[in-house]
Amino acid sequence: MLRDMSLTNIGEGAYRRVPHSPVHETIELQDVRRSSKGSPAPLLSNSDGFQPINEDDTDSAVLLPAQGREIEVVHGVTEQTMTQFFIQVFPSLMLAGFGVLTAGALLDIVQHWQLFIEVDELLTLVPALLGLKGSLEMTLASRLSTAAHLGELNTPERKWPLITGNLLLVQVQAILVGTAASLFAILLSAMVDHEFSFPHSGLIIAASISAASVASGLLGSVMTAVVVLSRSCDVNPDNVATPIAASLGDLVTLSIFCGFGELLYKTLHSAPWVCVLWMLFVYGVILPTALLRICKNPVYLDILKTKWAWLSLIVAMCISSLAGLILQQFNQRYVGLAALAPIINGVGGNLGAVHASRVSSALHAGSRQSQQRYAVMLFFLVIPLSLIMLAVVRLLGVGHTSMSAVFLMGYLTATMVQVGLLLLMIRKLVMFIWSYQLDPDNIAIPLVTALGDFLGTGTLALCFSLLFKIGDQDEDVGD
């Protein structure tokens, strides 16, 4: 049931929401918040700048809307029973699980391609690229979910500019993080292997930005449709949007990455100028066009210029690249690791992203509903989700795996450690970001998914190593 809200002036142009009889109230406010230079301070997100009063007062919020705009005050976080939460979140998590399972099966196939054998830096790049691209899609889903809760998608004149701005923003971010992830993978591999190849580096960068750019357009449109349809069907988008983003994101991005990589690899020796020409098109046409459009919208330009959002992506890239390095090093010893790593990372990351999105939306909307019991349910959902995914892996024979009882116990222990640590970190992380008057929708998700990748790959590699030492030396642990 939606709680009714109105605004009470608490001075300095800020307003605190208090219970009121109408569910919707339209008023006109002026943003009188000023920066140190006397100009209006920029908004932190497209949710019209909700800021915390302090870290402990998270059940209320200060509304700082854009200048002279009519703001429809909607307290859109619906109180849910545990049954309603389970009904909404479990199918979306299952769909996400099958998405990462398919991505894992695809990675298990393509790792044997000549492309990945000769240009082995691509395998190091995969976790970082999928993690960063997934972070952008899930961050988009989280921002749109918050906007839906706050009534920003209720009218066409506010909905379409918001959607267009978000899609352009994600396009720019995707190209930039694709470039950064590829450069980091090249550098990391050069440091480990003490080798460097200019043709291989050009192929890696071109394939990375191609996958990032094309996948962003496709997945961003899908995420927008999911959030809009969820809200119209009275489903909490926080429960479904981020898992669906993850389920489609890994598979679509990996497919496009492998496709472009294979095409560019075929022209690597006969026509190396193809990589250069494609990079010039992306950097010279697509990126400037999107940037020019964003510069006309101060809200999205401000998000693009927010150093903390970029810092979170850089930190996430480094963490995911470490996961990729673990995968590269252990995959040669344990042949089943490549197929199972996307599964454990995807399941853990999806559960964490749902929790982070719910906590962020609750903070933005000033909800008093505790998220701890939902976190507990998410933790215990890891067991059935993992067992179902492993059953499908066994049924399809993916990854050369054999499911002994010892292996199942080891795998479940690894994924429960991963998810348990991740859920414990998330609330502290989101509250820390919120306490500094920053938007968790733009900062928390990349860190959550990267930590999920690192913890998942690390615990899985540790699990395989321990199983091999105690005598379970079947195909899944490197026999």
Side-chain angles (χ1 to χ4, degrees):
M1 179 179 179
L2 301 182
R3 288 186 293 154
D4 306 333
M5 308 299 294
S6 65
L7 300 180
T8 298
N9 193 330
I10 58 175
E12 298 292 333
Y15 290 77
R16 185 192 299 276
R17 288 176 295 180
V18 296
H20 183 60
S21 54
V23 174
H24 299 76
E25 181 178 359
T26 302
I27 55 178
E28 179 112 358
L29 297 175
Q30 295 289 331
D31 183 4
V32 299
R33 180 175 53 142
R34 299 285 170 177
S35 66
S36 58
K37 297 181 180 180
S39 58
L43 300 181
L44 292 174
S45 73
N46 56 9
S47 57
D48 286 312
F50 279 91
Q51 307 283 330
I53 296 172
N54 55 63
E55 184 177 357
D56 298 326
D57 189 14
T58 57
D59 292 331
S60 60
V62 173
L63 180 62
L64 296 171
Q67 294 97 333
R69 285 178 52 192
E70 285 190 347
I71 301 298
E72 183 183 18
V73 183
V74 181
H75 196 297
V77 177
T78 306
E79 300 289 337
Q80 288 186 307
T81 66
M82 297 300 289
T83 302
Q84 291 173 326
F85 174 68
F86 176 82
I87 291 174
Q88 291 183 12
V89 77
F90 189 75
S92 61
L93 288 172
M94 281 294 300
L95 179 62
F98 285 119
V100 296
L101 175 62
T102 309
L106 178 60
L107 182 60
D108 181 57
I109 295 172
V110 300
Q111 68 173 328
H112 303 296
W113 289 5
Q114 188 62 33
L115 166 67
F116 283 85
I117 295 174
E118 182 175 338
V119 190
D120 59 354
E121 298 94 337
L122 291 173
L123 196 60
T124 304
L125 174 61
V126 166
L129 180 63
L130 296 186
L132 287 173
K133 278 296 289 96
S135 297
L136 293 180
E137 262 76 63
M138 287 191 281
T139 298
L140 171 64
S142 183
R143 280 202 305 267
L144 291 176
S145 297
T146 298
H149 286 308
L150 300 175
E152 289 292 313
L153 303 180
N154 290 351
T155 57
E157 60 270 15
R158 288 160 62 183
K159 176 172 65 177
W160 294 116
L162 187 148
I163 291 173
T164 303
N166 271 287
L167 293 179
L168 290 170
L169 175 64
V170 172
Q171 181 66 222
V172 172
Q173 290 176 320
I175 294 174
L176 295 180
V177 301
T179 303
S182 59
L183 291 175
F184 191 82
I186 293 169
L187 177 62
L188 194 62
S189 295
M191 292 173 60
V192 173
D193 300 332
H194 305 289
E195 294 180 1
F196 179 79
S197 170
F198 278 106
H200 288 181
S201 300
L203 185 151
I204 293 167
I205 296 172
S208 179
I209 61 175
S210 301
S213 178
V214 176
S216 288
L218 293 174
L219 296 171
S221 301
V222 172
M223 284 306 95
T224 301
V226 168
V227 172
V228 172
L229 289 175
S230 297
R231 198 59 177 163
S232 63
C233 296
D234 199 27
V235 173
N236 187 343
D238 286 320
N239 295 338
V240 299
T242 50
I244 292 177
S247 67
L248 296 175
D250 285 354
L251 179 60
V252 171
T253 303
L254 183 60
S255 300
I256 297 173
F257 177 67
C258 295
F260 271 97
E262 185 68 14
L263 290 175
L264 294 172
Y265 177 72
K266 291 179 179 179
T267 63
L268 184 63
H269 301 292
S270 60
W273 51 267
V274 173
C275 285
V276 178
L277 187 63
W278 177 246
M279 285 190 288
L280 288 175
F281 176 73
V282 174
Y283 292 127
V285 178
I286 298 177
L287 183 60
T289 301
L291 277 173
L292 287 174
R293 293 288 300 277
I294 288 177
C295 288
K296 297 178 182 180
N297 190 319
V299 174
Y300 301 106
L301 181 62
D302 180 61
I303 296 176
L304 190 63
K305 292 165 60 178
T306 301
K307 62 180 180 180
W308 297 111
W310 286 109
L311 180 61
S312 70
L313 287 173
I314 293 172
V315 173
M317 178 188 67
C318 295
I319 296 173
S320 295
S321 295
L322 290 176
L325 186 61
I326 294 173
L327 178 63
Q328 182 187 25
Q329 296 299 315
F330 280 86
N331 185 59
Q332 298 175 357
R333 297 168 56 188
Y334 308 122
V335 295
L337 189 65
L340 293 177
I343 298 173
I344 189 172
N345 295 345
V347 171
N350 293 338
L351 292 168
V354 169
H355 186 48
S357 183
R358 289 183 62 89
V359 173
S360 178
S361 290
L363 289 170
H364 276 288
S367 173
R368 295 180 179 273
Q369 188 177 26
S370 172
Q371 299 298 321
Q372 292 183 355
R373 56 176 182 162
Y374 300 106
V376 172
M377 175 172 283
L378 289 172
F379 174 74
F380 285 108
L381 282 178
V382 72
I383 298 176
L385 287 170
S386 298
L387 289 175
I388 292 172
M389 294 301 105
L390 289 176
V392 176
V393 167
R394 175 63 175 169
L395 181 64
L396 299 179
V398 176
H400 322 289
T401 55
S402 58
M403 304 297 176
S404 65
V406 176
F407 171 78
L408 289 176
M409 291 179 61
Y411 182 89
L412 290 177
T413 301
T415 190
M416 291 182 73
V417 169
Q418 173 212 23
V419 173
L421 291 174
L422 195 59
L423 292 176
L424 288 174
M425 294 177 184
I426 285 172
R427 179 168 178 80
K428 294 293 184 182
L429 174 64
V430 172
M431 293 301 300
F432 176 78
I433 295 169
W434 184 258
S435 69
Y436 281 87
Q437 298 190 350
L438 298 172
D439 190 350
D441 284 332
N442 297 324
I443 299 175
I445 295 292
L447 297 175
V448 169
T449 54
L451 287 170
D453 289 346
F454 177 74
L455 292 173
T457 306
T459 55
L460 185 62
L462 180 61
C463 169
F464 274 43
S465 300
L466 292 175
L467 290 175
F468 189 85
K469 288 182 178 180
I470 66 175
D472 185 10
Q473 299 180 7
D474 211 334
E475 286 183 344
D476 56 306
V477 287
D479 183 24

